[in-house]
Amino acid sequence: MGNFLADITFERSNKVFELREKKSLDICLLNHGGIRSIIPKGNVTARTAYEVMPFENSAIVIGLKSEQIAEIVNYIISEKKPHPLKGLTFTIDKNNQAKNILVNGKPLDTNKIYYVVTSDYLSNGGDNMLFFKKGIEQYDLNYKLRNIIIDYFQENKTITANKDTRITKE
């Protein structure tokens, strides 16, 4: 479920971000606690989207430095929750430390600004995601996370979730 929501939020938000800002997203990070229901087998409707995402959260893009991407990784390790994630992969070693941190298959670049789509709640430090408050750029896409789900449902007759592994543990 988390992969699905991160994937569609990334995909749909990236279209808006590219059109408006002529830039591309690198990562999507949402919060596990924001998902309030499953998507049952069978027909899905706008009501299903409201059950999954009952909040009025909007998609926000934050420009972060590589230091904050490392903070995201450390946060995920310490929280031990399956936060929805796209574009960022890493391995947790036997000492509970991150290694092989990759953004879209490439090592962190200290000279790059990474564009991370998240919710307005998280961008303001919600769920203790304080690294977002260190962002050097911010863009409000004026696109509700729930509407991302509804738009996806309207355009896709079959819903499939990518089951790839984004975080591995030794």
Side-chain angles (χ1 to χ4, degrees):
M1 184 69 167
N3 281 8
F4 170 72
L5 289 174
D7 289 351
I8 67 170
T9 300
F10 183 98
E11 174 190 319
R12 300 194 71 83
S13 296
N14 196 43
K15 288 178 185 176
V16 174
F17 191 53
E18 285 179 338
L19 277 172
R20 288 190 192 162
E21 304 299 329
K22 310 295 184 240
K23 299 176 182 178
S24 297
L25 293 176
D26 297 293
I27 298 169
C28 175
L29 175 62
L30 303 173
N31 62 325
H32 178 261
I35 304 169
R36 295 302 172 111
S37 181
I38 62 165
I39 299 174
K41 192 172 186 174
N43 292 333
V44 293
T45 63
R47 179 182 175 98
T48 308
Y50 274 83
E51 290 169 354
V52 170
M53 191 68 59
F55 310 105
E56 293 297 318
N57 296 102
S58 291
I60 303 287
V61 176
I62 307 289
L64 297 175
K65 294 181 179 182
S66 61
E67 295 87 34
Q68 282 73 55
I69 303 305
E71 286 181 49
I72 289 173
V73 170
N74 291 329
Y75 173 87
I76 291 170
I77 292 171
S78 69
E79 282 285 302
K80 298 178 183 159
K81 292 181 183 171
H83 294 294
L85 185 64
K86 162 94 174 150
L88 177 64
T89 60
F90 59 93
T91 299
I92 304 169
D93 71 15
K94 292 177 173 117
N95 298 317
N96 218 32
Q97 299 297 309
K99 67 180 201 178
N100 301 327
I101 301 170
L102 302 174
V103 177
N104 295 314
K106 297 177 184 166
L108 283 180
D109 180 346
T110 56
N111 298 315
K112 181 173 171 38
I113 301 302
Y114 292 95
Y115 293 104
V116 182
V117 65
T118 191
S119 71
D120 55 341
Y121 169 71
L122 298 178
S123 74
N124 290 316
D127 275 4
N128 237 3
M129 294 193 188
L130 302 176
F131 40 81
F132 282 126
K133 294 181 78 97
K134 298 176 184 175
I136 58 173
E137 297 176 42
Q138 181 169 326
Y139 305 89
D140 185 343
L141 299 183
N142 296 309
Y143 198 1
K144 299 275 186 216
L145 296 181
R146 179 186 318 111
N147 291 347
I148 288 172
I149 299 169
I150 291 169
D151 291 349
Y152 180 86
F153 287 169
Q154 289 175 342
E155 291 179 8
N156 295 276
K157 293 194 184 289
T158 304
I159 297 170
T160 55
N162 189 340
K163 295 180 182 177
D164 63 331
T165 303
R166 298 171 188 198
I167 301 171
T168 56
K169 193 165 186 173
E170 289 184 337

